[in-house]
Amino acid sequence: MIVVRRSADRWWRFDVTVRDAPLALVLLLPSLIPALQNNGTRLGDVPDRPMDALGLAVVAVECLPLIVRRRLPAACLALVSTGFALDQLHGYHTVAGTALPIALISAGAHLDRWRWTTAIVASAAYVPLAIALSGPEPAEGVAGFVSFYLALVLLWGIGSRLRQSRAAEAERRLHAAETARIAERTRIARELHDVVTHHVTAMVVQTEAARYLTGDRLDQALSTVTDSGRRAITDLRQLLDVLDPQQDTGQRSDVRALVEQARQAGQPVEYTEEGRPPTGTAGATAYRVVQEALTNALKYAHGSRTSVLVRHGNREITVEVATDSAGSPTAPVGGSGRGLAGLRERVGGLGGEFRTARQEDGGFVVHARIPAGSAS
């Protein structure tokens, strides 16, 4: 099976002229078999004629242009039509006449320019051919030639339909690629928002607090700011590695590091974790939920008691971050409001549930339920 698949892949990598050559040979060779002579398409009442040198040339003109039926559809149709006309006028009536329907379908499907001009010229050329084949007392009559012409029109219409279907499929794939590109840009924007907002907020809080510190406590605060900056750089590098297919795209989910960073920024955090953390998108999403919740706690309730509960179950991960009402907001660091909205969309995209609520005492609760084992 693997060998057949590889052979098929190699075949489709060839140029279209190479792939169309066997079709031309399939029509050419039977036309040279004596038993099949004068058994092809018969239009008009021209008597049969045995194969000769001119007949061989006519067969070649009918069949060989099929090699370029997709590369040069107009030229292919012109040559095949010429060969078909000579075939009928001289009475060879070879199997090679089947090349005309194939050339018509190919022209309708692959001709991009001068389509109407080609159709009009071909229709006009059919009129003198029909007159020449009819003779003084046509056996087929006008109805036969009209029926044959309508059959040719139908073949052109089939090719045009194929062309429209191919264009619609290309448009659909383009739309799908554009949608995927926009979704990827949105995902990267969310990741950047999560990383930058969290770490920068922590650095702003620590820097504000450092104004009122001296001595060892000042050194400790500045060291914390430095650590936050390093974590921001590390997270940004991991995010950029996702864009490099040669890098490991595993998502980090070290919630304990987030909690410790918030504690160093002056936020009293109680952390409880149950179960074993999973890998993949579910764990990374839980990490982002905690990160955004702690960022908001540092922004709007600095110094308030905050509890973080992460419960890893067999089927889902439950995250709950609650912040008391006590505390004071930090110096404004700006915000776009995209954090919680982006998390709600991300968790919902995994089939989970995300909600936020105010407590009776004025506190704030973030709750998320994330299905475990979600594919990235």
Side-chain angles (χ1 to χ4, degrees), residues 291-328:
Q291 185 181 59
E292 181 64 23
L294 290 179
T295 299
N296 289 336
L298 286 170
K299 279 184 180 180
Y300 308 115
H302 184 222
S304 299
R305 187 180 66 86
T306 303
S307 63
V308 177
L309 170 63
V310 181
R311 183 181 295 111
H312 303 286
N314 294 329
R315 296 185 177 181
E316 64 181 22
I317 303 174
T318 302
V319 179
E320 184 172 299
V321 182
T323 305
D324 290 345
S325 60
S328 59

Side-chain angles (χ1 to χ4, degrees), residues 69-94:
R69 66 185 183 89
R70 284 186 281 184
R71 181 62 61 82
L72 300 172
C76 171
L77 179 60
L79 290 173
V80 172
S81 299
T82 301
F84 178 81
L86 294 174
D87 185 314
Q88 299 300 314
L89 290 172
H90 289 81
Y92 293 113
H93 304 139
T94 62

Side-chain angles (χ1 to χ4, degrees), residues 165-189:
S165 299
R166 188 173 65 250
E169 177 64 17
E171 181 67 20
R172 186 194 65 80
R173 292 183 179 181
L174 181 62
H175 178 72
E178 181 67 14
T179 301
R181 185 181 67 84
I182 294 175
E184 182 66 9
R185 290 179 60 183
T186 303
R187 186 189 69 82
I188 294 174

Side-chain angles (χ1 to χ4, degrees), residues 122-271:
S123 299
Y126 179 75
V127 175
L129 175 64
I131 295 175
L133 292 175
S134 60
E137 297 181 357
E140 293 192 20
V142 177
F145 290 101
V146 172
S147 299
F148 188 78
Y149 175 77
L150 292 178
L152 298 180
V153 172
L154 178 61
L155 293 171
W156 175 274
I158 292 174
S160 298
R161 180 61 179 174
L162 292 174
R163 181 175 181 272
Q164 293 174 359
S165 299
R166 188 173 65 250
E169 177 64 17
E171 181 67 20
R172 186 194 65 80
R173 292 183 179 181
L174 181 62
H175 178 72
E178 181 67 14
T179 301
R181 185 181 67 84
I182 294 175
E184 182 66 9
R185 290 179 60 183
T186 303
R187 186 189 69 82
I188 294 174
R190 289 175 186 159
E191 295 285 345
L192 286 172
H193 172 274
D194 293 341
V195 170
V196 174
T197 302
H198 176 78
H199 291 297
V200 172
T201 298
M203 294 170 68
V204 170
V205 172
Q206 294 154 3
T207 304
E208 287 291 321
R211 294 181 178 181
Y212 308 101
L213 302 177
T214 58
D216 294 339
R217 296 183 64 188
L218 176 60
D219 292 339
Q220 182 180 0
L222 294 177
S223 298
T224 303
V225 173
T226 302
D227 292 339
S228 297
R230 289 172 178 167
R231 290 192 187 98
I233 293 174
T234 300
D235 282 356
L236 287 173
R237 284 176 177 171
Q238 291 180 347
L239 176 59
L240 294 176
D241 285 345
V242 175
L243 305 178
D244 187 353
Q246 297 181 354
Q247 296 291 336
D248 181 13
T249 58
Q251 299 283 340
R252 63 168 294 181
S253 57
D254 188 5
V255 179
R256 293 182 181 274
L258 291 176
V259 172
E260 185 61 30
Q261 184 180 11
R263 288 171 178 170
Q264 293 177 359
Q267 192 77 5
V269 181
E270 298 177 4
Y271 177 55

